[in-house]
Every structure is written in structure tokens, then in C-alpha cells.
Amino acid sequence: MSGQDRPTVVNVGYRSTNYWVVSAGRSRLLIDLGWPGTMGLMRAMLTRLDVPLNEIRYGLATHYHIDHAGLAQELKLAGVRLLVPEAQVSAIPLMKPFTKPRDNYVDITLDDNVIIPFAESRAVLAKIGIAGEILPTPGHSDDSVSLLLDDGSAFTGDLTHPALAPDANAGVVAASWQLLREHGATRIYPGHGPVRPIGSYSGDRIASG
Ligand SMILES: [Zn+2]
């Protein structure tokens, strides 16, 4: 991959949640899609960080919780096509009950999304100009996925830190981290908090102090 082709990453997040714009030239993909009813805030962040909304051609939610996907439909109405990995199809309608009337959530239509079998994610992303793949990384939720770029950047949403996973879930969480490592992940871009090397997500208990 030449330096010119290496994707750039900008965080346009707000309200303690990261929304990552991955750009390969003018081909841009938004990872995680805003709180419900915050289109004005999203537009303001994009303007401030010099990301033209009309260049964001695609959006991907790491999982369908309201801080990660609540604005999806409004982004679609602004021209963003929604990429939906197969594990997420049934999760989309389950999000609405977690919204309140005052959130001004706009229901996500189901018949106009780009459904992606995991085995085809690399080919779909290549068409967008992005070298990478989408991996199923359940643990925080069954529908959680990660975008892994070929440069080692992994967008993991709320995939639980292995040392913090509840016992009942520890195996699923560990397997997701293992999958990311096997596929070459080196840097973690989480849904909340700073970018960290994957080594800081070991299964050992976090030392206190
Ligand atoms: Zn979250």
C-alpha cells in the first residue's frame, strides 16, 4: 500500500462517544452513527473538522445501541448508505424501545441498506476504496462487529476489555480479541475513550494505582 492510499482517520465524536471518519481520498466511511436526534451536532462537528457530509458515502454501526446507531436514518436521508453486516440485520428493530420520545429518534428503514455477508466484506470495502474487512466481534452485544483496516487499525465499538468481561461472557469476549489479533489488529479505535495499542487489551487484571 502506498502512503497515498493509506486511509486517514478523524474522530468527529461528541457526548463521550467516538465517531470515526475513515477516508481514502474522497471515499469516506463513518464508523458509528451518532446519538438520536443529534443531526445538528453531527453537522457542526463535520464542518469543524473539515469533513464534507456529502463525501461520506457509507456508514457502519459497530452495534445497534443508541449512542452508536441512533442517528443512522437521518444520515441515510443525508445521502449516507448504511452498511449492515449480516449479524446486525435482526438487531436494528430492537433498538427503538431503548429510545425515548424526547430523543427524536427516526426509525431505520430496513429495505434500503447494503447487507454484507462477512465473507464478502473485503470485496465490498474494496469497491469503496478501503482495504480491510468487517469481523464479527460479539461480547458487548451479539450484533457487535469491528472494522479492521489492513494497516492494523481496528474499530471495535464497545467490545469489552477482556479483564472487565463478566465471567459468563469472558469466553466470547476473549475469542473476539483473539480473532482481531489473528487478523492483524495493532491499534484499537474504541467507541469511547482514546486510541490504544492492542497490547493494552490483554486478559490480565488491570493493576491498580
Ligand atoms: Zn457505547
Side-chain angles (χ1 to χ4, degrees), residues 3-56:
Q4 199 179 359
D5 294 330
R6 192 186 168 104
T8 61
V9 179
V10 173
N11 184 5
V12 298
Y14 47 86
R15 293 192 190 162
S16 305
T17 310
N18 300 325
Y19 306 125
W20 306 101
V21 179
V22 175
S23 305
R26 285 195 174 156
S27 182
R28 304 185 197 269
L29 166 64
L30 179 62
I31 319 281
D32 282 338
L33 307 174
W35 291 87
T38 61
M39 196 63 197
L41 202 42
M42 176 63 84
R43 284 182 188 278
M45 291 301 293
L46 292 171
T47 300
R48 186 187 303 173
L49 293 163
D50 249 334
V51 179
L53 176 57
N54 64 12
E55 291 183 4
I56 300 180

mmCIF file of all heavy atoms in Angstrom, residues 3-56:
data_model
loop_
_atom_site.group_PDB
_atom_site.id
_atom_site.type_symbol
_atom_site.label_atom_id
_atom_site.label_comp_id
_atom_site.label_asym_id
_atom_site.label_seq_id
_atom_site.Cartn_x
_atom_site.Cartn_y
_atom_site.Cartn_z
ATOM 1 N N GLY A 3 1.865 5.266 0.531
ATOM 2 C CA GLY A 3 1.479 6.237 1.550
ATOM 3 C C GLY A 3 0.247 7.011 1.138
ATOM 4 O O GLY A 3 -0.593 7.344 1.959
ATOM 5 N N GLN A 4 0.125 7.231 -0.140
ATOM 6 C CA GLN A 4 -1.005 7.996 -0.658
ATOM 7 C C GLN A 4 -2.333 7.268 -0.402
ATOM 8 O O GLN A 4 -3.356 7.901 -0.185
ATOM 9 C CB GLN A 4 -0.807 8.181 -2.156
ATOM 10 C CG GLN A 4 -1.641 9.306 -2.741
ATOM 11 C CD GLN A 4 -1.375 9.451 -4.225
ATOM 12 O OE1 GLN A 4 -0.560 8.731 -4.795
ATOM 13 N NE2 GLN A 4 -2.063 10.381 -4.848
ATOM 14 N N ASP A 5 -2.291 5.958 -0.433
ATOM 15 C CA ASP A 5 -3.520 5.185 -0.295
ATOM 16 C C ASP A 5 -3.885 4.887 1.150
ATOM 17 O O ASP A 5 -4.964 4.412 1.424
ATOM 18 C CB ASP A 5 -3.397 3.846 -1.035
ATOM 19 C CG ASP A 5 -3.276 4.050 -2.531
ATOM 20 O OD1 ASP A 5 -3.828 5.057 -3.025
ATOM 21 O OD2 ASP A 5 -2.623 3.245 -3.180
ATOM 22 N N ARG A 6 -2.955 5.133 2.047
ATOM 23 C CA ARG A 6 -3.209 4.783 3.433
ATOM 24 C C ARG A 6 -4.371 5.618 3.960
ATOM 25 O O ARG A 6 -4.365 6.847 3.857
ATOM 26 C CB ARG A 6 -1.936 5.066 4.236
ATOM 27 C CG ARG A 6 -1.963 4.475 5.623
ATOM 28 C CD ARG A 6 -0.716 4.938 6.384
ATOM 29 N NE ARG A 6 -0.858 4.621 7.770
ATOM 30 C CZ ARG A 6 -0.223 3.612 8.365
ATOM 31 N NH1 ARG A 6 0.618 2.885 7.692
ATOM 32 N NH2 ARG A 6 -0.431 3.367 9.639
ATOM 33 N N PRO A 7 -5.376 4.969 4.515
ATOM 34 C CA PRO A 7 -6.531 5.749 4.954
ATOM 35 C C PRO A 7 -6.202 6.662 6.133
ATOM 36 O O PRO A 7 -5.335 6.342 6.943
ATOM 37 C CB PRO A 7 -7.546 4.676 5.362
ATOM 38 C CG PRO A 7 -6.851 3.379 5.329
ATOM 39 C CD PRO A 7 -5.497 3.545 4.738
ATOM 40 N N THR A 8 -6.876 7.786 6.189
ATOM 41 C CA THR A 8 -6.748 8.683 7.330
ATOM 42 C C THR A 8 -7.975 8.504 8.221
ATOM 43 O O THR A 8 -9.035 8.086 7.751
ATOM 44 C CB THR A 8 -6.655 10.152 6.894
ATOM 45 O OG1 THR A 8 -7.852 10.482 6.194
ATOM 46 C CG2 THR A 8 -5.447 10.377 5.994
ATOM 47 N N VAL A 9 -7.814 8.830 9.496
ATOM 48 C CA VAL A 9 -8.896 8.651 10.463
ATOM 49 C C VAL A 9 -9.092 9.955 11.231
ATOM 50 O O VAL A 9 -8.125 10.532 11.734
ATOM 51 C CB VAL A 9 -8.565 7.521 11.460
ATOM 52 C CG1 VAL A 9 -9.695 7.356 12.473
ATOM 53 C CG2 VAL A 9 -8.314 6.203 10.729
ATOM 54 N N VAL A 10 -10.329 10.416 11.290
ATOM 55 C CA VAL A 10 -10.672 11.620 12.051
ATOM 56 C C VAL A 10 -11.825 11.272 12.996
ATOM 57 O O VAL A 10 -12.779 10.608 12.589
ATOM 58 C CB VAL A 10 -11.104 12.770 11.103
ATOM 59 C CG1 VAL A 10 -11.625 13.959 11.889
ATOM 60 C CG2 VAL A 10 -9.944 13.186 10.201
ATOM 61 N N ASN A 11 -11.713 11.713 14.226
ATOM 62 C CA ASN A 11 -12.785 11.488 15.206
ATOM 63 C C ASN A 11 -13.728 12.691 15.209
ATOM 64 O O ASN A 11 -13.339 13.786 15.597
ATOM 65 C CB ASN A 11 -12.165 11.280 16.594
ATOM 66 C CG ASN A 11 -13.212 10.934 17.647
ATOM 67 O OD1 ASN A 11 -14.389 10.750 17.344
ATOM 68 N ND2 ASN A 11 -12.773 10.848 18.891
ATOM 69 N N VAL A 12 -14.970 12.484 14.797
ATOM 70 C CA VAL A 12 -15.955 13.567 14.810
ATOM 71 C C VAL A 12 -16.954 13.368 15.953
ATOM 72 O O VAL A 12 -18.078 13.858 15.914
ATOM 73 C CB VAL A 12 -16.700 13.667 13.451
ATOM 74 C CG1 VAL A 12 -15.718 13.983 12.335
ATOM 75 C CG2 VAL A 12 -17.491 12.401 13.139
ATOM 76 N N GLY A 13 -16.527 12.661 16.974
ATOM 77 C CA GLY A 13 -17.428 12.276 18.050
ATOM 78 C C GLY A 13 -17.846 13.417 18.970
ATOM 79 O O GLY A 13 -17.271 14.502 18.950
ATOM 80 N N TYR A 14 -18.872 13.120 19.792
ATOM 81 C CA TYR A 14 -19.385 14.053 20.786
ATOM 82 C C TYR A 14 -20.156 13.270 21.839
ATOM 83 O O TYR A 14 -20.489 12.102 21.638
ATOM 84 C CB TYR A 14 -20.269 15.128 20.138
ATOM 85 C CG TYR A 14 -21.301 14.600 19.169
ATOM 86 C CD1 TYR A 14 -22.545 14.168 19.620
ATOM 87 C CD2 TYR A 14 -21.032 14.520 17.804
ATOM 88 C CE1 TYR A 14 -23.500 13.682 18.740
ATOM 89 C CE2 TYR A 14 -21.979 14.033 16.924
ATOM 90 C CZ TYR A 14 -23.207 13.618 17.392
ATOM 91 O OH TYR A 14 -24.148 13.122 16.517
ATOM 92 N N ARG A 15 -20.458 13.931 22.929
ATOM 93 C CA ARG A 15 -21.155 13.284 24.056
ATOM 94 C C ARG A 15 -20.507 11.949 24.427
ATOM 95 O O ARG A 15 -21.156 10.906 24.490
ATOM 96 C CB ARG A 15 -22.641 13.089 23.740
ATOM 97 C CG ARG A 15 -23.362 14.416 23.636
ATOM 98 C CD ARG A 15 -24.871 14.222 23.622
ATOM 99 N NE ARG A 15 -25.525 15.472 23.287
ATOM 100 C CZ ARG A 15 -26.767 15.573 22.865
ATOM 101 N NH1 ARG A 15 -27.520 14.498 22.726
ATOM 102 N NH2 ARG A 15 -27.295 16.739 22.595
ATOM 103 N N SER A 16 -19.191 12.017 24.670
ATOM 104 C CA SER A 16 -18.418 10.872 25.171
ATOM 105 C C SER A 16 -18.393 9.664 24.249
ATOM 106 O O SER A 16 -18.074 8.559 24.673
ATOM 107 C CB SER A 16 -18.929 10.419 26.548
ATOM 108 O OG SER A 16 -18.931 11.491 27.445
ATOM 109 N N THR A 17 -18.766 9.862 22.996
ATOM 110 C CA THR A 17 -18.757 8.740 22.059
ATOM 111 C C THR A 17 -17.935 9.120 20.833
ATOM 112 O O THR A 17 -18.016 10.254 20.356
ATOM 113 C CB THR A 17 -20.194 8.379 21.649
ATOM 114 O OG1 THR A 17 -20.983 8.247 22.838
ATOM 115 C CG2 THR A 17 -20.238 7.058 20.897
ATOM 116 N N ASN A 18 -17.123 8.181 20.370
ATOM 117 C CA ASN A 18 -16.285 8.424 19.205
ATOM 118 C C ASN A 18 -17.028 8.034 17.927
ATOM 119 O O ASN A 18 -17.624 6.954 17.854
ATOM 120 C CB ASN A 18 -14.996 7.596 19.285
ATOM 121 C CG ASN A 18 -14.163 7.934 20.514
ATOM 122 O OD1 ASN A 18 -14.125 9.080 20.943
ATOM 123 N ND2 ASN A 18 -13.509 6.929 21.079
ATOM 124 N N TYR A 19 -16.981 8.924 16.946
ATOM 125 C CA TYR A 19 -17.475 8.608 15.605
ATOM 126 C C TYR A 19 -16.300 8.837 14.663
ATOM 127 O O TYR A 19 -15.794 9.950 14.566
ATOM 128 C CB TYR A 19 -18.682 9.487 15.248
ATOM 129 C CG TYR A 19 -19.784 9.414 16.297
ATOM 130 C CD1 TYR A 19 -20.282 10.566 16.896
ATOM 131 C CD2 TYR A 19 -20.290 8.181 16.702
ATOM 132 C CE1 TYR A 19 -21.265 10.494 17.870
ATOM 133 C CE2 TYR A 19 -21.272 8.102 17.682
ATOM 134 C CZ TYR A 19 -21.755 9.261 18.265
ATOM 135 O OH TYR A 19 -22.714 9.194 19.242
ATOM 136 N N TRP A 20 -15.884 7.765 14.021
ATOM 137 C CA TRP A 20 -14.644 7.811 13.247
ATOM 138 C C TRP A 20 -14.942 7.933 11.763
ATOM 139 O O TRP A 20 -15.701 7.138 11.216
ATOM 140 C CB TRP A 20 -13.834 6.531 13.487
ATOM 141 C CG TRP A 20 -13.552 6.209 14.926
ATOM 142 C CD1 TRP A 20 -14.191 5.295 15.713
ATOM 143 C CD2 TRP A 20 -12.528 6.790 15.753
ATOM 144 N NE1 TRP A 20 -13.630 5.271 16.968
ATOM 145 C CE2 TRP A 20 -12.616 6.172 17.018
ATOM 146 C CE3 TRP A 20 -11.555 7.763 15.526
ATOM 147 C CZ2 TRP A 20 -11.762 6.501 18.073
ATOM 148 C CZ3 TRP A 20 -10.702 8.096 16.569
ATOM 149 C CH2 TRP A 20 -10.806 7.468 17.825
ATOM 150 N N VAL A 21 -14.311 8.905 11.122
ATOM 151 C CA VAL A 21 -14.392 9.008 9.665
ATOM 152 C C VAL A 21 -13.111 8.424 9.085
ATOM 153 O O VAL A 21 -12.015 8.932 9.340
ATOM 154 C CB VAL A 21 -14.544 10.471 9.194
ATOM 155 C CG1 VAL A 21 -14.592 10.526 7.664
ATOM 156 C CG2 VAL A 21 -15.798 11.103 9.786
ATOM 157 N N VAL A 22 -13.249 7.336 8.346
ATOM 158 C CA VAL A 22 -12.111 6.717 7.660
ATOM 159 C C VAL A 22 -12.169 7.186 6.213
ATOM 160 O O VAL A 22 -13.176 6.992 5.534
ATOM 161 C CB VAL A 22 -12.198 5.180 7.725
ATOM 162 C CG1 VAL A 22 -11.084 4.538 6.907
ATOM 163 C CG2 VAL A 22 -12.130 4.715 9.181
ATOM 164 N N SER A 23 -11.095 7.830 5.779
ATOM 165 C CA SER A 23 -11.076 8.394 4.432
ATOM 166 C C SER A 23 -9.945 7.799 3.622
ATOM 167 O O SER A 23 -8.806 7.733 4.082
ATOM 168 C CB SER A 23 -10.872 9.917 4.488
ATOM 169 O OG SER A 23 -11.840 10.520 5.309
ATOM 170 N N ALA A 24 -10.269 7.373 2.424
ATOM 171 C CA ALA A 24 -9.258 7.018 1.440
ATOM 172 C C ALA A 24 -9.504 7.962 0.278
ATOM 173 O O ALA A 24 -10.421 7.756 -0.506
ATOM 174 C CB ALA A 24 -9.396 5.565 1.020
ATOM 175 N N GLY A 25 -8.727 9.031 0.230
ATOM 176 C CA GLY A 25 -9.042 10.096 -0.715
ATOM 177 C C GLY A 25 -10.387 10.694 -0.363
ATOM 178 O O GLY A 25 -10.649 11.024 0.786
ATOM 179 N N ARG A 26 -11.282 10.785 -1.353
ATOM 180 C CA ARG A 26 -12.610 11.332 -1.070
ATOM 181 C C ARG A 26 -13.633 10.256 -0.810
ATOM 182 O O ARG A 26 -14.838 10.528 -0.727
ATOM 183 C CB ARG A 26 -13.049 12.227 -2.215
ATOM 184 C CG ARG A 26 -12.305 13.529 -2.154
ATOM 185 C CD ARG A 26 -12.937 14.573 -3.032
ATOM 186 N NE ARG A 26 -12.266 15.842 -2.813
ATOM 187 C CZ ARG A 26 -12.229 16.818 -3.686
ATOM 188 N NH1 ARG A 26 -12.839 16.687 -4.845
ATOM 189 N NH2 ARG A 26 -11.593 17.935 -3.411
ATOM 190 N N SER A 27 -13.172 9.031 -0.686
ATOM 191 C CA SER A 27 -14.068 7.954 -0.322
ATOM 192 C C SER A 27 -14.073 7.861 1.202
ATOM 193 O O SER A 27 -13.055 7.566 1.821
ATOM 194 C CB SER A 27 -13.565 6.645 -0.938
ATOM 195 O OG SER A 27 -14.455 5.616 -0.636
ATOM 196 N N ARG A 28 -15.191 8.192 1.802
ATOM 197 C CA ARG A 28 -15.232 8.273 3.271
ATOM 198 C C ARG A 28 -16.311 7.354 3.842
ATOM 199 O O ARG A 28 -17.408 7.256 3.311
ATOM 200 C CB ARG A 28 -15.500 9.707 3.709
ATOM 201 C CG ARG A 28 -14.492 10.720 3.165
ATOM 202 C CD ARG A 28 -14.780 12.081 3.749
ATOM 203 N NE ARG A 28 -14.149 13.150 3.012
ATOM 204 C CZ ARG A 28 -12.931 13.634 3.299
ATOM 205 N NH1 ARG A 28 -12.227 13.131 4.277
ATOM 206 N NH2 ARG A 28 -12.436 14.631 2.590
ATOM 207 N N LEU A 29 -15.934 6.729 4.954
ATOM 208 C CA LEU A 29 -16.828 5.814 5.661
ATOM 209 C C LEU A 29 -16.908 6.282 7.107
ATOM 210 O O LEU A 29 -15.883 6.512 7.750
ATOM 211 C CB LEU A 29 -16.240 4.396 5.582
ATOM 212 C CG LEU A 29 -16.796 3.314 6.510
ATOM 213 C CD1 LEU A 29 -18.258 3.024 6.217
ATOM 214 C CD2 LEU A 29 -15.977 2.016 6.351
ATOM 215 N N LEU A 30 -18.124 6.438 7.630
ATOM 216 C CA LEU A 30 -18.324 6.846 9.018
ATOM 217 C C LEU A 30 -18.582 5.605 9.867
ATOM 218 O O LEU A 30 -19.478 4.811 9.561
ATOM 219 C CB LEU A 30 -19.516 7.810 9.107
ATOM 220 C CG LEU A 30 -19.895 8.336 10.501
ATOM 221 C CD1 LEU A 30 -18.753 9.141 11.123
ATOM 222 C CD2 LEU A 30 -21.167 9.190 10.419
ATOM 223 N N ILE A 31 -17.754 5.450 10.912
ATOM 224 C CA ILE A 31 -17.919 4.309 11.821
ATOM 225 C C ILE A 31 -18.590 4.815 13.083
ATOM 226 O O ILE A 31 -18.017 5.618 13.821
ATOM 227 C CB ILE A 31 -16.565 3.705 12.244
ATOM 228 C CG1 ILE A 31 -15.594 3.637 11.088
ATOM 229 C CG2 ILE A 31 -16.782 2.351 12.938
ATOM 230 C CD1 ILE A 31 -15.775 2.551 10.176
ATOM 231 N N ASP A 32 -19.749 4.330 13.325
ATOM 232 C CA ASP A 32 -20.667 4.716 14.391
ATOM 233 C C ASP A 32 -21.332 6.046 14.047
ATOM 234 O O ASP A 32 -20.726 6.931 13.447
ATOM 235 C CB ASP A 32 -20.023 4.673 15.768
ATOM 236 C CG ASP A 32 -19.946 3.211 16.261
ATOM 237 O OD1 ASP A 32 -20.726 2.383 15.757
ATOM 238 O OD2 ASP A 32 -19.117 2.918 17.135
ATOM 239 N N LEU A 33 -22.609 6.093 14.404
ATOM 240 C CA LEU A 33 -23.510 6.961 13.652
ATOM 241 C C LEU A 33 -24.308 7.936 14.502
ATOM 242 O O LEU A 33 -25.388 8.360 14.102
ATOM 243 C CB LEU A 33 -24.454 6.070 12.810
ATOM 244 C CG LEU A 33 -23.731 5.038 11.927
ATOM 245 C CD1 LEU A 33 -24.717 4.116 11.240
ATOM 246 C CD2 LEU A 33 -22.821 5.708 10.912
ATOM 247 N N GLY A 34 -23.800 8.326 15.646
ATOM 248 C CA GLY A 34 -24.435 9.420 16.363
ATOM 249 C C GLY A 34 -25.606 9.035 17.241
ATOM 250 O O GLY A 34 -26.287 8.044 17.018
ATOM 251 N N TRP A 35 -25.815 9.864 18.277
ATOM 252 C CA TRP A 35 -26.986 9.724 19.145
ATOM 253 C C TRP A 35 -28.238 10.131 18.376
ATOM 254 O O TRP A 35 -28.168 10.980 17.491
ATOM 255 C CB TRP A 35 -26.838 10.646 20.360
ATOM 256 C CG TRP A 35 -25.774 10.285 21.341
ATOM 257 C CD1 TRP A 35 -24.456 10.660 21.287
ATOM 258 C CD2 TRP A 35 -25.921 9.517 22.536
ATOM 259 N NE1 TRP A 35 -23.778 10.156 22.378
ATOM 260 C CE2 TRP A 35 -24.658 9.456 23.163
ATOM 261 C CE3 TRP A 35 -27.015 8.866 23.136
ATOM 262 C CZ2 TRP A 35 -24.443 8.777 24.360
ATOM 263 C CZ3 TRP A 35 -26.798 8.189 24.330
ATOM 264 C CH2 TRP A 35 -25.522 8.152 24.930
ATOM 265 N N PRO A 36 -29.411 9.606 18.759
ATOM 266 C CA PRO A 36 -30.646 10.012 18.088
ATOM 267 C C PRO A 36 -30.849 11.525 18.193
ATOM 268 O O PRO A 36 -30.509 12.132 19.214
ATOM 269 C CB PRO A 36 -31.755 9.286 18.864
ATOM 270 C CG PRO A 36 -31.095 8.341 19.796
ATOM 271 C CD PRO A 36 -29.639 8.659 19.853
ATOM 272 N N GLY A 37 -31.399 12.088 17.147
ATOM 273 C CA GLY A 37 -31.805 13.491 17.193
ATOM 274 C C GLY A 37 -30.665 14.491 17.254
ATOM 275 O O GLY A 37 -30.885 15.647 17.609
ATOM 276 N N THR A 38 -29.457 14.082 16.895
ATOM 277 C CA THR A 38 -28.306 14.996 17.024
ATOM 278 C C THR A 38 -27.718 15.383 15.664
ATOM 279 O O THR A 38 -26.524 15.656 15.559
ATOM 280 C CB THR A 38 -27.186 14.365 17.884
ATOM 281 O OG1 THR A 38 -26.728 13.150 17.254
ATOM 282 C CG2 THR A 38 -27.664 14.063 19.288
ATOM 283 N N MET A 39 -28.556 15.446 14.646
ATOM 284 C CA MET A 39 -28.022 15.748 13.314
ATOM 285 C C MET A 39 -27.335 17.118 13.276
ATOM 286 O O MET A 39 -26.315 17.288 12.605
ATOM 287 C CB MET A 39 -29.156 15.679 12.277
ATOM 288 C CG MET A 39 -28.657 15.585 10.847
ATOM 289 S SD MET A 39 -27.704 14.063 10.528
ATOM 290 C CE MET A 39 -26.864 14.520 9.018
ATOM 291 N N GLY A 40 -27.883 18.086 14.013
ATOM 292 C CA GLY A 40 -27.260 19.416 14.041
ATOM 293 C C GLY A 40 -25.854 19.370 14.615
ATOM 294 O O GLY A 40 -24.924 19.989 14.086
ATOM 295 N N LEU A 41 -25.717 18.595 15.684
ATOM 296 C CA LEU A 41 -24.409 18.434 16.323
ATOM 297 C C LEU A 41 -23.439 17.703 15.392
ATOM 298 O O LEU A 41 -22.267 18.081 15.259
ATOM 299 C CB LEU A 41 -24.620 17.653 17.619
ATOM 300 C CG LEU A 41 -23.610 17.737 18.740
ATOM 301 C CD1 LEU A 41 -23.101 19.138 18.967
ATOM 302 C CD2 LEU A 41 -24.263 17.179 20.019
ATOM 303 N N MET A 42 -23.930 16.661 14.742
ATOM 304 C CA MET A 42 -23.085 15.911 13.807
ATOM 305 C C MET A 42 -22.618 16.820 12.671
ATOM 306 O O MET A 42 -21.435 16.854 12.319
ATOM 307 C CB MET A 42 -23.851 14.702 13.260
ATOM 308 C CG MET A 42 -23.108 13.894 12.210
ATOM 309 S SD MET A 42 -21.576 13.107 12.795
ATOM 310 C CE MET A 42 -22.211 11.591 13.553
ATOM 311 N N ARG A 43 -23.548 17.588 12.115
ATOM 312 C CA ARG A 43 -23.162 18.506 11.028
ATOM 313 C C ARG A 43 -22.127 19.521 11.509
ATOM 314 O O ARG A 43 -21.173 19.841 10.793
ATOM 315 C CB ARG A 43 -24.400 19.266 10.515
ATOM 316 C CG ARG A 43 -25.314 18.454 9.633
ATOM 317 C CD ARG A 43 -26.477 19.341 9.140
ATOM 318 N NE ARG A 43 -27.489 18.577 8.430
ATOM 319 C CZ ARG A 43 -27.409 18.225 7.147
ATOM 320 N NH1 ARG A 43 -26.354 18.606 6.434
ATOM 321 N NH2 ARG A 43 -28.358 17.522 6.580
ATOM 322 N N ALA A 44 -22.312 20.021 12.730
ATOM 323 C CA ALA A 44 -21.369 21.017 13.263
ATOM 324 C C ALA A 44 -19.978 20.407 13.431
ATOM 325 O O ALA A 44 -18.965 21.047 13.120
ATOM 326 C CB ALA A 44 -21.884 21.564 14.595
ATOM 327 N N MET A 45 -19.919 19.175 13.927
ATOM 328 C CA MET A 45 -18.622 18.519 14.104
ATOM 329 C C MET A 45 -17.940 18.274 12.759
ATOM 330 O O MET A 45 -16.737 18.461 12.610
ATOM 331 C CB MET A 45 -18.782 17.193 14.858
ATOM 332 C CG MET A 45 -19.165 17.348 16.314
ATOM 333 S SD MET A 45 -17.977 18.294 17.287
ATOM 334 C CE MET A 45 -16.558 17.185 17.267
ATOM 335 N N LEU A 46 -18.706 17.829 11.784
ATOM 336 C CA LEU A 46 -18.136 17.559 10.462
ATOM 337 C C LEU A 46 -17.591 18.853 9.854
ATOM 338 O O LEU A 46 -16.497 18.868 9.275
ATOM 339 C CB LEU A 46 -19.198 16.936 9.545
ATOM 340 C CG LEU A 46 -19.636 15.515 9.929
ATOM 341 C CD1 LEU A 46 -20.843 15.082 9.100
ATOM 342 C CD2 LEU A 46 -18.502 14.517 9.745
ATOM 343 N N THR A 47 -18.345 19.939 10.016
ATOM 344 C CA THR A 47 -17.896 21.221 9.478
ATOM 345 C C THR A 47 -16.616 21.667 10.174
ATOM 346 O O THR A 47 -15.637 22.055 9.529
ATOM 347 C CB THR A 47 -18.990 22.296 9.667
ATOM 348 O OG1 THR A 47 -20.158 21.871 8.967
ATOM 349 C CG2 THR A 47 -18.542 23.651 9.155
ATOM 350 N N ARG A 48 -16.611 21.550 11.514
ATOM 351 C CA ARG A 48 -15.454 21.990 12.284
ATOM 352 C C ARG A 48 -14.194 21.215 11.892
ATOM 353 O O ARG A 48 -13.101 21.749 11.871
ATOM 354 C CB ARG A 48 -15.742 21.797 13.777
ATOM 355 C CG ARG A 48 -14.660 22.354 14.684
ATOM 356 C CD ARG A 48 -14.890 21.988 16.134
ATOM 357 N NE ARG A 48 -16.182 22.431 16.646
ATOM 358 C CZ ARG A 48 -16.662 22.110 17.853
ATOM 359 N NH1 ARG A 48 -15.964 21.338 18.668
ATOM 360 N NH2 ARG A 48 -17.830 22.550 18.249
ATOM 361 N N LEU A 49 -14.371 19.928 11.571
ATOM 362 C CA LEU A 49 -13.214 19.079 11.273
ATOM 363 C C LEU A 49 -13.003 18.911 9.765
ATOM 364 O O LEU A 49 -12.233 18.064 9.328
ATOM 365 C CB LEU A 49 -13.393 17.716 11.956
ATOM 366 C CG LEU A 49 -13.330 17.857 13.480
ATOM 367 C CD1 LEU A 49 -13.898 16.639 14.185
ATOM 368 C CD2 LEU A 49 -11.899 18.106 13.936
ATOM 369 N N ASP A 50 -13.714 19.756 8.989
ATOM 370 C CA ASP A 50 -13.457 19.804 7.549
ATOM 371 C C ASP A 50 -13.779 18.506 6.824
ATOM 372 O O ASP A 50 -13.061 18.117 5.898
ATOM 373 C CB ASP A 50 -11.976 20.142 7.293
ATOM 374 C CG ASP A 50 -11.845 21.522 6.692
ATOM 375 O OD1 ASP A 50 -12.818 21.953 6.058
ATOM 376 O OD2 ASP A 50 -10.785 22.143 6.876
ATOM 377 N N VAL A 51 -14.812 17.832 7.256
ATOM 378 C CA VAL A 51 -15.247 16.622 6.564
ATOM 379 C C VAL A 51 -16.583 16.930 5.889
ATOM 380 O O VAL A 51 -17.594 17.089 6.561
ATOM 381 C CB VAL A 51 -15.434 15.437 7.540
ATOM 382 C CG1 VAL A 51 -15.901 14.194 6.785
ATOM 383 C CG2 VAL A 51 -14.147 15.157 8.310
ATOM 384 N N PRO A 52 -16.604 17.054 4.557
ATOM 385 C CA PRO A 52 -17.882 17.350 3.892
ATOM 386 C C PRO A 52 -18.839 16.156 4.024
ATOM 387 O O PRO A 52 -18.497 15.037 3.662
ATOM 388 C CB PRO A 52 -17.477 17.551 2.423
ATOM 389 C CG PRO A 52 -15.983 17.721 2.431
ATOM 390 C CD PRO A 52 -15.485 16.963 3.624
ATOM 391 N N LEU A 53 -20.024 16.450 4.552
ATOM 392 C CA LEU A 53 -21.010 15.373 4.738
ATOM 393 C C LEU A 53 -21.302 14.668 3.412
ATOM 394 O O LEU A 53 -21.483 13.450 3.374
ATOM 395 C CB LEU A 53 -22.301 15.952 5.346
ATOM 396 C CG LEU A 53 -23.473 14.976 5.522
ATOM 397 C CD1 LEU A 53 -23.095 13.780 6.385
ATOM 398 C CD2 LEU A 53 -24.675 15.708 6.127
ATOM 399 N N ASN A 54 -21.320 15.426 2.327
ATOM 400 C CA ASN A 54 -21.670 14.784 1.046
ATOM 401 C C ASN A 54 -20.553 13.885 0.507
ATOM 402 O O ASN A 54 -20.734 13.214 -0.498
ATOM 403 C CB ASN A 54 -22.117 15.810 0.002
ATOM 404 C CG ASN A 54 -21.012 16.771 -0.383
ATOM 405 O OD1 ASN A 54 -19.832 16.570 -0.050
ATOM 406 N ND2 ASN A 54 -21.381 17.829 -1.081
ATOM 407 N N GLU A 55 -19.407 13.858 1.182
ATOM 408 C CA GLU A 55 -18.356 12.909 0.800
ATOM 409 C C GLU A 55 -18.406 11.632 1.658
ATOM 410 O O GLU A 55 -17.670 10.691 1.415
ATOM 411 C CB GLU A 55 -16.967 13.556 0.897
ATOM 412 C CG GLU A 55 -16.762 14.623 -0.183
ATOM 413 C CD GLU A 55 -15.366 15.224 -0.163
ATOM 414 O OE1 GLU A 55 -14.514 14.783 0.628
ATOM 415 O OE2 GLU A 55 -15.149 16.168 -0.951
ATOM 416 N N ILE A 56 -19.237 11.638 2.697
ATOM 417 C CA ILE A 56 -19.412 10.406 3.487
ATOM 418 C C ILE A 56 -20.439 9.550 2.762
ATOM 419 O O ILE A 56 -21.642 9.750 2.865
ATOM 420 C CB ILE A 56 -19.856 10.716 4.925
ATOM 421 C CG1 ILE A 56 -18.803 11.575 5.622
ATOM 422 C CG2 ILE A 56 -20.072 9.408 5.699
ATOM 423 C CD1 ILE A 56 -19.151 11.927 7.051
#
